[in-house]
Amino acid sequence: MVLSQRQREELNKAIADYLSSNGYMDALEAFKKEADMPGEVERKFGGLLEKKWTSVIRLQKKVMELESKLSEAEKEFIEGAPTRGKRSPGEWIPRPPEKFSLTGHRAPVTKVIFHPVFSVMVSSSEDATLKVWDFETGEYERTLKGHTDSVQDIAFDHSGKLLVSCSADMSIKLWDFQQTYECIKTMHGHDHNVSSVSFMPGGDFVVSASRDKTIKMWEVATGYCVKTFAGHREWVRMVRASPDGSLIASCSNDQTVRVWVTASKECKTELRDHDHVVECIAWAPDAAYAHINEAAGADNKKGAHPGPFLASGSRDKTIRVWDVSTGICLFLLAGHDNWVRGVVFHPGGKFIVSASDDKTLRVWDTRNKRCMKTLDAHKHFCTSVDFHKTSPYVITGSVDQTVKVWECR
């Protein structure tokens, strides 16, 4: 390191100041004599050496931070690039940046879902409409109008020929999703905002949940309400049938998750570990059973917890995974900084994906119970997330009025 004459003089003065301010007088005198520096040291060199010293350390820390960020970005680029490091589809997770950001809704997006067969998705919004988009091209296809207030939830039957929607206008609508895209039935019966709707696996019945504290089952063919499940003490936020249709799970503002026997309408279990409103639930697919058992610490005796399993997301910022047969909370996923609004299992069973009011999308490694990836998804609260069962896509909806399509690799 070669210093210029001037730099050398300045460094000498700074050293002289350091020696004098610390009272190393003998050393100072000797140093002054050797460095040929007569007179007093000017004020501007006061504490200069310490200042430089601390700023070097600070900058070094900053450099290290930036280097680690860079290496992470490089790794993301290499790992995530479609050409390199082939992962099996079971390992695919959404990667930033989004493939499409779709605008068109005039109010917050409340729900996004994939069509089970075609490459389209549907979004619902507080603007009282449903919009259909092609998720492979990002093209807008059509708008379904009919509700008179915020559309809260939407769902397809297994064939994708029927779409059901529910709304704050207290109605549930069935739409023909084959030819006409028109509303074929409107079902009334709830006394308040209908917050959730879902098809039974057979497709002959629809279940709905409402702020009137009840869950209702409707016959698709006639539009009649055939069952009412009562028991929640507050607004019921979401209702979902188990994969075989024998059970129905619901979650509520009363901070509980309830599991009902479809046939008898009785409440089988009440799951009460959350400390706030439970916003969302998802049944675990068969592929997730082994991973959930490992996470729960079951010594791999064949299926120590037989299941079925349910995940729930809450305003207490956590996600809990439950064994419904015993009513026990197996484990908890903490990491979101705000309400958890959507939760969905990865079709491969290894991961859980969640959307939150902290504006992020998070991918959780079920087996290790840790957050393995966080995507800064939206400019405002994320309200909904869906994972395509067979294609490598995830979609999210947000209060920022956009729908985003994320590619997985």
Side-chain angles (χ1 to χ4, degrees):
M1 300 273 268
V2 184
L3 296 177
S4 69
Q5 181 64 34
R6 170 144 181 240
Q7 285 174 322
R8 195 179 290 118
E9 281 173 11
E10 287 185 346
L11 178 59
N12 286 347
K13 285 178 182 168
I15 292 171
D17 169 80
Y18 175 75
L19 292 173
S20 76
S21 63
N22 282 288
Y24 304 137
M25 283 311 166
D26 299 353
L28 177 63
E29 288 311 316
F31 181 65
K32 272 186 168 176
K33 198 184 288 164
E34 281 187 14
D36 185 26
M37 202 192 333
E40 285 300 304
V41 177
E42 300 137 57
R43 279 287 299 283
K44 70 170 185 184
F45 294 104
L48 191 63
L49 206 59
E50 289 99 323
K51 273 187 208 137
K52 294 274 192 210
W53 185 261
T54 49
S55 70
V56 164
I57 290 170
R58 199 177 62 244
L59 289 169
Q60 199 138 20
K61 235 169 100 179
K62 188 82 184 146
V63 166
M64 279 159 72
E65 264 172 35
L66 288 169
E67 276 176 344
S68 78
K69 266 192 186 160
L70 177 66
S71 75
E72 195 155 299
E74 279 175 346
K75 188 163 145 241
E76 170 73 45
F77 176 71
I78 291 165
E79 294 275 298
T83 48
R84 318 188 184 82
K86 284 275 180 272
R87 270 193 219 68
S88 71
E91 310 262 330
W92 282 344
I93 59 167
R95 304 273 166 193
E98 68 270 19
K99 187 179 180 194
F100 301 115
S101 178
L102 309 173
T103 56
H105 280 297
R106 298 174 175 192
V109 177
T110 51
K111 194 81 190 179
V112 287
I113 56 166
F114 281 111
H115 189 281
V117 185
F118 306 122
S119 68
V120 297
M121 57 181 185
V122 182
S123 57
S124 65
S125 163
E126 288 178 19
D127 64 14
T129 69
L130 292 77
K131 288 189 188 289
V132 184
W133 320 78
D134 185 310
F135 62 79
E136 285 182 338
T137 62
E139 280 171 26
Y140 159 78
E141 295 207 349
R142 63 178 72 242
T143 297
L144 310 185
K145 292 179 179 174
H147 283 295
T148 55
D149 202 341
S150 172
V151 184
Q152 308 289 36
D153 196 7
I154 43 179
F156 280 110
D157 69 345
H158 58 87
S159 67
K161 291 175 183 172
L162 280 178
L163 175 72
V164 67
S165 63
C166 65
S167 162
D169 66 15
M170 305 199 296
S171 74
I172 296 160
K173 286 184 181 287
L174 279 165
W175 308 79
D176 167 33
F177 212 80
Q178 253 181 310
Q179 276 117 17
T180 63
Y181 294 94
E182 289 186 350
C183 175
I184 39 184
K185 275 197 187 63
T186 302
M187 299 175 287
H188 294 280
H190 281 296
D191 305 326
H192 211 319
N193 187 343
V194 189
S195 34
S196 178
V197 69
S198 160
F199 273 94
M200 296 300 289
D204 298 331
F205 295 93
V206 163
V207 279
S208 62
S210 163
R211 195 172 173 176
D212 67 11
K213 307 177 191 174
T214 67
I215 294 152
K216 288 184 183 287
M217 185 182 280
W218 311 78
E219 189 173 23
V220 171
T222 60
Y224 291 149
C225 174
V226 290
K227 283 191 177 119
T228 300
F229 301 77
H232 275 298
R233 295 173 289 285
E234 282 287 342
W235 185 341
V236 190
R237 285 282 170 176
M238 194 179 260
V239 60
R240 291 290 179 262
S242 64
D244 65 357
S246 62
L247 300 173
I248 293 172
S250 60
C251 61
S252 161
N253 280 31
D254 64 18
Q255 307 184 10
T256 68
V257 175
R258 279 176 180 247
V259 179
W260 313 79
V261 179
T262 310
S264 65
K265 297 197 293 194
E266 65 167 329
C267 179
K268 176 176 150 57
T269 34
E270 190 175 13
L271 313 171
R272 351 164 98 205
D273 276 344
H274 281 295
D275 312 324
H276 207 322
V277 171
V278 188
E279 286 272 349
C280 51
I281 44 178
W283 289 94
D286 293 345
Y289 279 34
H291 302 287
I292 290 171
N293 263 310
E294 279 194 42
D299 316 321
N300 297 337
K301 298 189 289 289
K302 261 294 173 235
H305 297 283
F309 302 110
L310 189 67
S312 61
S314 162
R315 292 186 185 177
D316 65 14
K317 309 177 190 174
T318 66
I319 297 158
R320 287 180 180 271
V321 176
W322 312 82
D323 181 349
V324 169
S325 55
T326 56
I328 293 169
C329 175
L330 300 177
F331 58 91
L332 169 135
L333 303 172
H336 277 297
D337 304 324
N338 209 331
W339 299 358
V340 180
R341 296 282 292 273
V343 61
V344 59
F345 280 89
H346 189 296
K350 278 192 174 181
F351 310 115
I352 293 172
V353 181
S354 58
S356 159
D357 276 2
D358 63 12
K359 310 177 193 174
T360 67
L361 186 62
R362 284 177 196 249
V363 180
W364 306 85
D365 173 359
T366 307
R367 178 178 284 151
N368 300 311
K369 305 189 282 282
R370 67 183 192 93
C371 175
M372 60 174 283
K373 186 149 194 66
T374 303
L375 290 82
D376 293 317
H378 287 274
K379 294 189 176 73
H380 209 315
F381 303 158
C382 298
T383 54
S384 173
V385 58
D386 196 15
F387 209 120
H388 199 284
K389 295 282 175 279
T390 50
S391 310
Y393 291 98
V394 165
I395 46 175
T396 54
S398 164
V399 174
D400 67 14
Q401 306 182 8
T402 65
V403 176
K404 292 195 179 183
V405 181
W406 307 83
E407 220 168 349
C408 304
R409 46 184 190 265

